[in-house]
Amino acid sequence: MLNSRANCYPIMTSLSRRFPAGATATALAYGGLRLSRPARTTAICMVRYGFRSERRGIALRLPPPGQEHGGVWERSGVKEEAKKAGPCSCAVGELAGENGRKSVNRAAEVAVAAGLTVVMGVGNRVLYKLALVPLKNYPFFLAQLATFGYVVVYFSILYIRYHAGIVTDEMLSMPKTPFLVVGLLEALGAATGMAAGAMLSGASIPILSQAFLVWQILLSIIFLGRRYKVNQLLGCLLVAIGVIITVASGSGAGHSLKEAGIFWSLLMIVSFLFQAADTVLKEVIFLNASRKLKGGSLDLFVVNSFGSAFQALFICLLIPFLSKLWGIPFGQLPTYLKDGAACFLNVGTLSRGCDGAPLLPLLFIIVNMGFNISLLHLLKISSAVVSCLASTFSVPIAIYVFTLPLPYLGVGSSLPAGFIAGAIVLVMGLLIYAWTPSNGSTNAAST
């Protein structure tokens, strides 16, 4: 260190001699002096620094005039680049990267949930037909068993999740009026759907069910303030057209619609209005809950449990009307339910022709419950329209499954003439809709 100081003194002396008297201090004080590293050495004043010889842009600078005094070591051009980038450039870059990862993870979650919903939807349609093999004379019993059985199962799951700490008191204290409306809409949708379904053919109902998607788009625009892009609307339209082509080809659905009359067709469309309003209201419940829970997420079993409870309540009030729709006089309803229970349990003298019970009906109830849960989960993380598209996609797949030799159903049916064309149009519609980014809607929730 002594040698380094001794060698530095001549340099400073020689430098001071190059300035007039009194100017040296001023120059040094205001940074008018620039000391550059020699081009062919890595040492300054016999003190070696760890610079590589190829990085010749490194220089020592004193503060320029007009700035605070205090010499700094800096790399050439770094300060200017920092000024251009701004102090928040690093934070913004990290935030953008984090948001990108979240967006990818969310898209993957929605894709997995949609795939699971499609699978459960196919199983739900196939097992419903299988469940009606032993209960072909008791479809009303099966419907009521599912309705009231869900209340018991959902509240049991809610109880377990509450004691596990997943469901909180704050979640349970949510206003119950929206759940009451959900139950009313589901009951009205079931009642009007049963009334119209009793008069319409099975082939015409899937065609009319495409009104469900139209109602959801309209209601989400009105009540959620969503704005859909052209490719989203075009995709939904193609999905509906694909289902209509798939179902209607070779089934005589158009002829059956004419025979049934316009009233029952309109009533079925109204029933899908009630169902669409139900799903949009559930989406509103989740959005409002996220604000009331300060960013938290409302457990879907809270919605399912209370919604099913109110639905069962309104179904009880509508049972006289519903039993009449199924051709069951209200006075004979207790006997009908008793005989249906005997067939379901496959016991007693009434068990003849009930082969497959109770396994097939139970499988349907379990899969139907799983389908409803997966559908609500998909609605929660995406939107009502996305959940509807996933459910709609299961229709042509279920039609294809029915062409296979299934147990209790005998020889499979043949594919409709326009099945391939309808499936292609449907898939094209889904792809066109999927081109929209997840934030394509002006609403905070994706569409």
Side-chain angles (χ1 to χ4, degrees):
M1 292 298 296
L2 294 176
N3 293 335
S4 298
R5 290 182 181 178
N7 290 329
C8 284
Y9 289 146
I11 295 177
M12 299 303 297
T13 304
S14 62
L15 286 172
S16 64
R17 291 175 182 175
R18 299 181 184 179
F19 294 93
T24 304
T26 304
L28 292 175
Y30 289 96
L33 178 63
R34 173 179 174 132
L35 301 178
S36 298
R37 184 172 58 87
R40 298 182 180 273
T41 182
T42 58
I44 299 178
C45 302
M46 298 302 293
V47 179
R48 296 186 178 273
Y49 296 88
F51 299 115
R52 295 183 179 179
S53 58
E54 63 270 15
R55 296 179 61 183
R56 300 180 181 180
I58 304 298
L60 301 180
R61 297 180 181 176
L62 292 176
Q67 296 186 5
E68 295 181 359
H69 175 65
V72 292
W73 296 77
E74 65 178 7
R75 181 177 175 179
S76 301
V78 171
K79 191 171 183 179
E80 290 77 11
E81 294 177 1
K83 287 182 179 180
K84 293 179 182 179
C88 299
S89 60
C90 293
V92 171
E94 293 176 359
L95 181 61
E98 183 179 356
N99 290 338
R101 288 190 296 271
K102 288 183 178 179
S103 178
V104 171
N105 293 337
R106 183 177 178 279
E109 182 183 5
V110 171
V112 172
L116 179 61
T117 302
V118 170
V119 172
M120 299 299 290
V122 173
N124 179 62
R125 293 176 181 274
V126 173
L127 285 173
Y128 177 69
K129 193 167 184 178
L130 288 173
L132 288 179
V133 171
L135 296 178
K136 56 182 177 294
N137 296 321
Y138 305 99
F140 183 71
F141 170 81
L142 179 62
Q144 304 318 307
L145 176 65
T147 299
F148 292 93
Y150 291 162
V151 177
V152 176
V153 174
Y154 284 148
F155 271 99
S156 300
I157 297 175
L158 182 65
Y159 177 82
I160 295 173
R161 293 172 72 86
Y162 175 74
H163 283 278
I166 301 174
V167 176
T168 63
D169 293 328
E170 193 175 5
M171 293 181 186
L172 296 177
S173 64
M174 295 289 294
K176 301 301 184 294
T177 302
F179 301 129
L180 186 145
V181 178
V182 165
L184 176 61
L185 290 172
E186 290 180 347
L188 290 175
T192 54
M194 286 181 183
M199 304 301 297
L200 296 170
S201 67
S204 60
I205 294 176
I207 296 176
L208 295 174
S209 68
Q210 300 315 303
F212 182 62
L213 181 58
V214 177
W215 286 126
Q216 281 194 329
I217 293 176
L218 293 177
L219 293 176
S220 61
I221 290 174
I222 296 172
F223 295 102
L224 297 176
R226 290 232 167 91
R227 295 296 179 266
Y228 294 93
K229 293 186 176 181
V230 175
N231 61 319
Q232 289 178 305
L233 297 176
L234 179 60
C236 292
L237 177 62
L238 290 178
V239 168
I241 293 176
V243 173
I244 292 174
I245 294 175
T246 302
V247 176
S249 58
S251 64
H255 180 68
S256 63
L257 283 173
K258 292 179 181 180
E259 289 183 347
I262 189 64
F263 173 77
W264 298 110
S265 299
L266 291 177
L267 185 61
M268 179 61 74
I269 293 174
V270 171
S271 74
F272 289 116
L273 170 61
F274 290 132
Q275 297 174 42
D278 164 50
T279 56
V280 172
L281 178 57
K282 287 178 180 178
E283 188 174 356
V284 172
I285 290 174
F286 282 121
L287 293 175
N288 291 338
S290 64
R291 291 190 289 267
K292 293 180 180 180
L293 298 176
K294 299 179 181 179
S297 177
L298 180 65
D299 191 81
L300 60 89
F301 282 98
V302 175
V303 180
N304 266 346
S305 299
F306 288 102
S308 298
F310 285 116
Q311 180 191 8
L313 173 63
F314 287 111
I315 287 292
C316 287
L317 299 177
L318 293 172
I319 273 185
F321 170 72
L322 296 176
S323 64
K324 186 177 180 180
L325 290 176
W326 287 95
I328 307 167
F330 184 70
Q332 299 179 10
L333 185 60
T335 303
Y336 171 86
L337 295 176
K338 179 181 177 181
D339 294 344
C343 183
F344 170 75
L345 296 174
N346 203 0
V347 295
T349 58
L350 296 175
S351 61
R352 296 177 182 177
C354 299
D355 296 336
L359 177 61
L360 293 179
L362 282 177
L363 283 176
F364 162 70
I365 293 175
I366 293 172
V367 173
N368 181 258
M369 189 179 304
F371 172 65
N372 290 329
I373 293 173
S374 63
L375 197 65
L376 187 61
H377 174 68
L378 180 60
L379 182 148
K380 178 181 177 181
I381 64 175
S382 59
S383 70
V385 173
V386 172
S387 64
C388 177
L389 291 174
S391 177
T392 303
F393 189 65
S394 65
V395 174
I397 300 178
I399 293 176
Y400 174 76
V401 172
F402 283 127
T403 64
L404 305 176
L406 298 174
Y408 299 99
L409 293 181
V411 180
S413 58
S414 59
L415 280 177
F419 178 83
I420 301 298
I424 291 174
V425 173
L426 189 149
V427 172
M428 285 178 58
L430 291 176
L431 293 176
I432 291 175
Y433 185 92
W435 281 344
T436 303
S438 59
N439 60 348
S441 175
T442 57
N443 195 297
S446 67
T447 57

